[in-house]
Amino acid sequence: MPTPQAMQPATSPAAFTHALPSYLNPEHLGPWGIYLQQVDRVTPYLGSLARWVDTLKRPKRTLIVDVPIHLDNGTVAHFEGYRVQHNTSRGPGKGGVRFHQDVTLSEVMALSAWMSIKNAAVNVPYGGAKGGIRVDPRQLSKGELERVTRRYTSEIGIIIGPTKDIPAPDVNTNEQVMAWMMDTYSMNEGSTSTGVVTGKPVDLGGSLGRREATGRGVFTVGVEAAKHTGMDISTARVAVQGFGNVGGVAAKLFAAAGARVVAVQDHGGTLYREAGLDVAALLAHVAQHGSVAGFAQAEVIDNDAFWDVPCDILIPAALEQQITQANAGRIQAKMVIEGANGPTTPEADDILHDRGILVLPDVIANAGGVTVSYFEWVQDFSSFFWSEDEINARLVKIMQDAFAAVWQVADANKVSLRTATFIVACKRILHARDLRGLYP
Ligand code: GLU
């Protein structure tokens, strides 16, 4: 048991500290503890804004909801749901909703905080938020999934809204789930409110290019980093973990640029092909069968052997804490592009850094999704929709500019790209905090 003293955040004036709830404890293992360590690393670079840093170390608002539904077999099941608004200094909360059997409050808190950092890093006018339900959606029928989604939306309806907090897709949620969320919120409000969620179907106020946006952003920062490091994308070997909306699209774009996608891992297993996988055929296989399992034109390798695969670019695009102390020493890549949120632990970050492997951190690398979510929200408010070319061009420009600014800060301060992104983002958030002042 840590002593109450050990549980106090290092930066709080001693006179005002109290024992923190365990989930705010910096020594608490898990995603929130990792996020707190990342904030600690950046605090020395914040100058006078460091006086506000505790703002970043606790979420502004945390809602835990019970989500009861009728199952198809006539019984009633209860699921636990969350919506965490980490920060709203720069604008409404913004961030996805995930459905996963392992979702915890600590995870949703960390994901909401990473949204604050990400949104500030690409300078979209949002704070950060995230939601989730601890449920395995693969165990639910379509009707059960709809009922879970609608009841959850009703429960969090007291804190979301187009100017308050705008959910979006994340792990295991998609355009259909967003359509149900939009409809439920609109029914409760008594008027159709398309801007309450992003990532909707295009026919319901969704944006062209949104589905591919996160993968396109991953590819864009990869190309920019390659320019800085002298890597030739057209001859690069790429390994991808997660072959969904992020990894699948990134793999397609890297393959189109001439790269060889040599390894792919998802929940169905791990595939390897030195000559490069046929990405289009693999995407079609996954669309039909739900995972890479059973794809014939590749060698099946051990899941753990994925980390030893000879490659130039590694793209973790699945869940958190995949690159750890245990496997960071084995990674062959010269560059890691974090498509997922939080895939690298701080210890692994240090190992990769010491080995000269460049990490393009989640908080900039996967910001393409929320950037096009911002475009979607703007289009919904103006009821005027842009062409896909215009959206992609604006997305690429935002990602390039944000990446260039982060690269420059990393270079000037001799810090990692993750710390540099946190410096840029935390300064923006805390500057807004400072300007607004405290109420009352
Ligand atoms: N879930 C995505 C993310 O982690 C997108 C969030 C959004 O579009 O609001 O960045």
Side-chain angles (χ1 to χ4, degrees):
M1 243 329 249
T3 62
Q5 188 60 38
M7 291 200 271
Q8 291 169 3
T11 51
S12 291
F16 295 102
T17 50
H18 306 280
L20 289 169
S22 66
Y23 61 86
L24 289 179
N25 180 353
E27 286 165 23
H28 176 83
L29 295 176
W32 178 252
I34 290 174
Y35 162 74
L36 291 178
Q37 287 183 40
Q38 292 166 343
V39 174
D40 284 340
R41 284 182 179 199
V42 87
T43 307
Y45 299 93
L46 298 178
S48 62
L49 291 171
R51 71 183 284 258
W52 292 107
V53 78
D54 277 0
T55 303
L56 299 172
K57 291 185 171 187
R58 54 205 75 214
K60 174 186 175 62
R61 195 175 279 133
T62 301
L63 183 62
I64 304 175
V65 295
D66 176 35
V67 184
I69 63 155
H70 287 293
L71 295 179
D72 293 346
N73 67 12
T75 62
V76 174
H78 291 257
F79 303 97
E80 191 158 291
Y82 312 95
R83 185 72 187 172
V84 179
Q85 295 170 349
H86 173 259
N87 188 276
T88 56
S89 292
R90 302 178 67 256
K94 182 87 191 85
V97 172
R98 67 173 52 181
F99 292 174
H100 196 274
Q101 60 277 15
D102 298 329
V103 163
T104 62
L105 178 59
S106 159
E107 179 190 28
V108 178
M109 283 165 50
L111 290 164
S112 73
W114 286 324
M115 286 311 303
S116 299
I117 303 296
K118 191 187 303 186
N119 293 333
V122 288
N123 213 1
V124 291
Y126 294 131
K130 200 84 175 198
I133 307 179
R134 193 179 315 128
V135 61
D136 181 357
R138 289 188 184 85
Q139 308 290 324
L140 301 180
S141 69
K142 190 170 180 197
E144 290 166 340
L145 185 66
E146 177 173 353
R147 293 195 286 281
V148 162
T149 304
R150 288 187 181 278
R151 180 61 187 248
Y152 169 73
T153 308
S154 267
E155 294 295 338
I156 66 165
I158 52 174
I159 61 167
I160 64 169
T163 59
K164 290 159 87 177
D165 178 5
I166 306 110
D170 197 76
V171 174
N172 292 336
T173 55
N174 57 17
E175 292 172 10
Q176 176 62 75
V177 171
M178 293 306 116
W180 290 327
M181 289 189 76
M182 189 278 270
D183 182 69
T184 305
Y185 180 85
S186 297
M187 289 293 113
N188 289 343
E189 288 292 298
S191 60
T192 294
S193 177
T194 54
V196 67
V197 292
T198 58
K200 300 178 294 295
V202 170
D203 290 337
L204 281 181
S207 179
L208 295 169
R210 174 64 186 85
R211 198 181 302 160
E212 300 213 312
T214 312
R216 190 175 296 282
V218 165
F219 173 69
T220 303
V221 294
V223 169
E224 293 307 298
K227 286 182 199 159
H228 283 285
T229 56
M231 184 188 285
D232 181 0
I233 295 286
S234 71
T235 58
R237 295 158 303 170
V238 180
V240 186
Q241 186 198 39
F243 207 63
N245 199 30
V246 183
V249 172
K252 189 171 86 177
L253 294 173
F254 274 105
R260 263 184 296 150
V261 178
V262 292
V264 169
Q265 174 174 90
D266 77 358
H267 60 94
T270 307
L271 303 179
Y272 180 71
R273 187 163 188 265
E274 201 191 334
L277 291 150
D278 180 341
V279 174
L282 186 56
L283 284 167
H285 176 91
V286 172
Q288 201 186 339
H289 302 282
S291 87
V292 301
F295 184 69
Q297 299 130 268
E299 190 188 325
V300 176
I301 61 169
D302 220 50
N303 281 338
D304 191 52
F306 176 77
W307 305 107
D308 302 309
V309 161
C311 63
D312 301 292
I313 299 175
L314 172 66
I315 306 177
L319 292 170
E320 300 96 69
Q321 298 185 67
Q322 298 300 302
I323 304 180
T324 64
Q325 228 162 351
N327 58 22
R330 291 158 47 193
I331 287 169
Q332 307 282 313
K334 299 180 187 70
M335 191 194 293
V336 173
I337 315 179
E338 294 185 338
N341 291 306
T344 311
T345 65
E347 299 79 25
D349 234 356
D350 291 340
I351 295 170
L352 296 177
H353 186 261
D354 292 346
R355 294 185 58 219
I357 299 171
L358 185 67
V359 177
L360 313 191
D362 48 5
V363 279
I364 186 92
N366 72 28
V370 73
T371 300
V372 176
S373 277
Y374 166 55
F375 298 161
E376 178 173 335
W377 183 72
V378 169
Q379 292 171 83
D380 287 340
F381 269 111
S382 58
S383 298
F384 180 77
F385 292 86
W386 315 344
S387 73
E388 189 159 0
D389 284 349
E390 187 175 359
I391 285 156
N392 288 343
R394 284 180 191 260
L395 166 64
V396 168
K397 173 96 174 71
I398 287 184
M399 296 299 293
Q400 285 174 335
D401 289 353
F403 188 76
V406 164
W407 189 277
Q408 194 267 323
V409 169
D411 202 34
N413 293 284
K414 301 285 168 262
V415 292
S416 70
L417 291 172
R418 190 184 314 281
T419 300
T421 310
F422 269 70
I423 292 175
V424 170
C426 292
K427 280 188 173 170
R428 283 189 181 139
I429 297 166
L430 299 182
H431 180 55
R433 165 78 286 179
D434 193 44
L435 287 171
R436 287 177 67 158
L438 284 179
Y439 172 83

